[in-house]
Amino acid sequence: MLVNRDKFKAAGVTATIVFESSAVNRDEKIAESIQSIKKLARRDGTYSFMSRAFIRHHLFVALHGIYGWQPAPVVKDNTVLQFGFPDANIVNFPELDLFGFMRTNPFTVTRKAPLGITKAISLEPWQGDMAFYANHDLVARAAKCGTKANPNPFSKEEHYSLYRLTFTLDLSRFGQQEVAAEVADPKIRDWLSGLAKASADDVRERVKRLDVEDGWEWYAIPSSQGDGSSASSAESRVDSPPGYVGVKSSKDEGGWLLFVVADDEYRRRLEQVLTVIADGFSLHSSTESYGTNPLFCVMAALKVPVPLFHSAISFSDGKISADLLTETRKNSHIIRAWYKSLLPLSEELKEDDFFRGIDAGRIVDFVYPAEEGTSAGEAGA
């Protein structure tokens, strides 16, 4: 289904943040007793990093805790754990909409994540720091009980640094998914039989960002309890569902399922994701808690979803280089850019190039303007 380009001012949004943390995303043990950190070697040194999967997990934990995004249910097929598609889909579980998923039964469904996430890579090289630890507290407790015990020593590689992390969201793929499917499959038909039918006009009214074509049989997907959607009452879940699924049969290809999220739900999810990225989320591992609360954040609306600012973060005399940011801002893919900083910059960024302050609601209103009289906050109320 084609995106109605007249409704969007941008095709993507990218956000690059700088935060301070210890390297809490651990790697394999070395020699059974040394807990290592994840590292990358470059010509000028060794840098610690936190994996995309680690960042994805903690971002979702934040969306779940703050906005009620529920974990999509999983099922076990033989020895493989998979998401429970089609009962769990991008409409009633925002997690699947944002991060993508794969399912191989009753047919293969692959959703490439609309949100791209880089590794969080340290901006300062690892100098080989290591610390020695032992469970002295437990040994002392045992001694008080009359039990003789020796400490269990272990070592940990340590790195405390500034980290650079980038998120890039494809606005055209977010909120919709087309699936080649055997629509006559009993599992699909049983699932569809539990949904209320909807008209193409209903879909066009509530999904104006897409050009809804003829030839689809539409069904409303109700809001599941606790799925994090804005609909709360039973009546609102029927009258204003978070989205729809279209069905189209084909003798040659078996058919298609088309999942689309309603515009108000789309805007609400977009604002929530940008808010959590801009404000930060917790990073917790092995009882150590840090966070991605940005010391610096630059966000941009783009013609093409590319992580343009990821390589534009460097330091000069302890300050973020404004020259590199300004030079990157000249890229023709950038429509508008915003930033905020608690760190000193080598010089002030020009207001014509960068708007100071990041307000997720206003950014949503810019990239995908609401219908007249409706703001992003109201759309997500």
Side-chain angles (χ1 to χ4, degrees):
M1 180 172 290
L2 296 176
V3 174
N4 187 343
R5 297 296 181 185
D6 293 337
K7 297 293 184 180
F8 284 92
K9 288 187 177 180
V13 175
T14 189
T16 296
I17 64 174
V18 174
F19 64 95
E20 191 173 48
S21 175
S22 185
V24 291
N25 188 194
R26 294 286 170 179
D27 211 348
E28 294 182 330
K29 286 186 177 181
I30 301 173
E32 299 296 328
S33 61
I34 301 175
Q35 296 182 21
S36 66
I37 60 176
K38 296 185 184 296
K39 301 181 287 289
L40 295 170
R42 299 197 69 184
R43 64 183 181 277
D44 58 344
T46 301
Y47 294 81
S48 64
F49 75 92
M50 304 179 202
S51 71
R52 180 209 59 82
F54 181 79
I55 298 298
R56 182 254 194 242
H57 167 75
H58 287 89
L59 173 58
F60 176 68
V61 168
L63 289 165
H64 167 65
I66 299 171
Y67 298 112
W69 286 31
Q70 292 300 304
V74 298
V75 296
K76 188 174 183 180
D77 290 329
N78 295 323
T79 60
V80 181
L81 287 173
Q82 304 185 88
F83 288 110
F85 180 87
D87 299 277
N89 55 71
I90 71 162
V91 173
N92 57 12
F93 285 93
E95 176 192 13
L96 302 185
D97 186 18
L98 185 66
F99 298 112
F101 69 98
M102 183 175 181
R103 172 81 166 145
T104 59
N105 186 29
F107 46 82
T108 299
V109 179
T110 302
R111 173 166 177 77
K112 184 178 179 180
L115 182 68
I117 306 173
T118 68
K119 296 177 177 65
I121 303 175
S122 68
L123 289 166
E124 302 158 280
W126 179 61
Q127 303 291 344
D129 293 336
M130 187 177 297
F132 181 82
Y133 300 89
N135 56 340
H136 293 294
D137 180 60
L138 295 183
V139 172
R141 294 186 191 188
K144 290 181 179 180
C145 297
T147 301
K148 185 177 180 180
N150 295 316
N152 302 116
F154 64 96
S155 297
K156 295 171 68 174
E157 293 180 343
E158 301 285 5
H159 190 209
Y160 194 79
S161 173
L162 294 174
Y163 286 84
R164 172 180 56 204
L165 170 64
T166 298
F167 303 88
T168 306
L169 182 61
D170 187 333
L171 297 176
S172 63
R173 288 195 295 112
F174 188 46
Q176 69 160 320
Q177 180 186 14
E178 194 166 338
V179 178
E182 294 290 341
V183 296
D185 185 281
K187 291 184 179 180
I188 297 298
R189 283 297 162 190
D190 286 347
W191 175 67
L192 291 172
S193 66
L195 303 178
K197 286 195 173 185
S199 69
D201 288 339
D202 291 337
V203 180
R204 291 189 181 101
E205 178 63 27
R206 301 199 62 237
V207 191
K208 294 181 179 180
R209 71 184 188 280
L210 303 176
D211 290 327
V212 178
E213 304 166 344
D214 293 329
W216 292 87
E217 182 181 4
W218 291 99
Y219 297 83
I221 299 179
S223 171
S224 301
Q225 183 178 0
D227 67 356
S229 69
S230 54
S232 57
S233 67
E235 182 179 354
S236 64
R237 290 197 296 267
V238 174
D239 295 341
S240 300
Y244 304 86
V245 59
V247 182
K248 181 184 287 187
S249 299
S250 171
K251 293 181 180 179
D252 297 330
E253 300 178 354
W256 298 86
L257 296 175
L258 177 59
F259 294 86
V260 294
V261 174
D263 287 349
D264 55 349
E265 181 71 6
Y266 177 95
R267 291 171 54 80
R268 185 192 66 85
R269 293 179 185 182
L270 178 56
E271 183 177 2
Q272 291 176 353
V273 171
L274 296 184
T275 297
V276 172
I277 290 173
D279 290 349
F281 51 90
S282 173
L283 299 174
H284 182 89
S285 179
S286 301
T287 72
E288 288 189 74
S289 288
Y290 293 90
T292 66
N293 41 305
L295 297 176
F296 175 83
C297 178
V298 58
M299 196 172 291
L302 306 170
K303 298 177 183 178
V304 180
V306 183
L308 288 174
F309 285 104
H310 187 69
S311 301
I313 304 297
S314 67
F315 283 80
S316 175
D317 297 326
K319 299 178 181 180
I320 293 180
S321 172
D323 291 341
L324 195 52
L325 291 167
T326 299
E327 193 63 29
T328 303
R329 178 63 181 86
K330 297 176 183 178
N331 191 298
S332 62
H333 293 329
I334 299 175
I335 302 170
R336 182 173 292 186
W338 303 262
Y339 84 102
K340 64 178 182 178
S341 183
L342 297 177
L343 295 174
L345 277 67
S346 60
E347 60 183 72
E348 287 298 315
L349 298 173
K350 294 181 180 179
E351 292 184 3
D352 292 342
D353 293 334
F354 295 89
F355 289 88
R356 181 148 195 161
I358 294 178
D359 184 314
R362 290 185 177 181
I363 294 175
V364 172
D365 284 336
F366 176 79
V367 300
Y368 179 42
E371 293 298 309
E372 188 173 347
T374 303
S375 67
E378 290 169 342

